Amino acid sequence: MVCAAGVASGVGALIDAALRRDWEVGVFATPVAMDGFFDTADVEARTGRPIRSAWRRPGEPRPFPAPDAVVVAPATFNTVNKWAAGLADTLAVATLCEACGLGVPVGVLPCVSDALASHPAYRASLDRLRGMGVRFGDPYEGGAAAGGDRRFHWERALDLLERH
């Protein structure tokens, strides 16, 4: 699941890492993320599947099988809050709500500024999702991490799911 954050342009690194681990990959994206936040043609070429962002029409086949696990990276303030509240107004958030209801493991790499992360609704959303079994990696807000590393650590999302 790809959300609309600047680091989304690097999602190919996550796809490549998943493929190296012999995962089958299908990508869902929020509608805003589809509007230039990442190279959709590249993602479809890497996965061999269309990106899902809009609802299927009745009778249309599913373009890929139901997931065994879900990664949300980058996860934005908006998506985390809507998901925790059960506001399934987009295919992306509805899919996350459904995955939790089905017991599908979900790993999340948040990409939220410190200012937004301090909002009480966001903190409550994290608590609620953790209580539902969602696994979170360390937040990324674009600043330097320990040791001066500014990269978004895509593979950590896979690690969250493979450790359990």
Coordinates of all heavy atoms in Angstrom, one line a residue, residues 51-52 54 78 81:
I51 N -1.8 -1.5 -10.8 CA -1.9 -0.9 -9.4 C -3.4 -0.8 -9.1 O -4.2 -0.3 -10.0 CB -1.2 0.5 -9.4 CG1 0.3 0.3 -9.6 CG2 -1.5 1.1 -8.0 CD1 1.0 1.6 -9.9
R52 N -3.8 -1.1 -7.9 CA -5.2 -1.0 -7.5 C -5.4 0.3 -6.8 O -4.7 0.6 -5.8 CB -5.6 -2.1 -6.6 CG -5.6 -3.5 -7.3 CD -6.8 -3.7 -8.3 NE -8.1 -3.3 -7.8 CZ -8.9 -4.0 -7.0 NH1 -8.5 -5.2 -6.6 NH2 -10.0 -3.5 -6.6
A54 N -8.7 2.2 -7.5 CA -10.2 2.4 -7.6 C -10.9 1.1 -7.4 O -10.4 0.0 -7.7 CB -10.5 3.0 -9.0
N78 N -3.0 11.0 7.3 CA -4.4 10.8 6.9 C -4.8 9.4 6.8 O -5.8 9.0 7.3 CB -4.5 11.5 5.5 CG -6.0 11.7 5.2 OD1 -6.8 12.1 5.9 ND2 -6.3 11.3 3.9
N81 N -5.0 7.7 10.4 CA -6.2 8.1 11.1 C -7.5 7.6 10.5 O -8.4 7.2 11.3 CB -6.2 9.6 11.2 CG -5.2 10.2 12.2 OD1 -4.9 9.6 13.2 ND2 -4.6 11.3 11.9

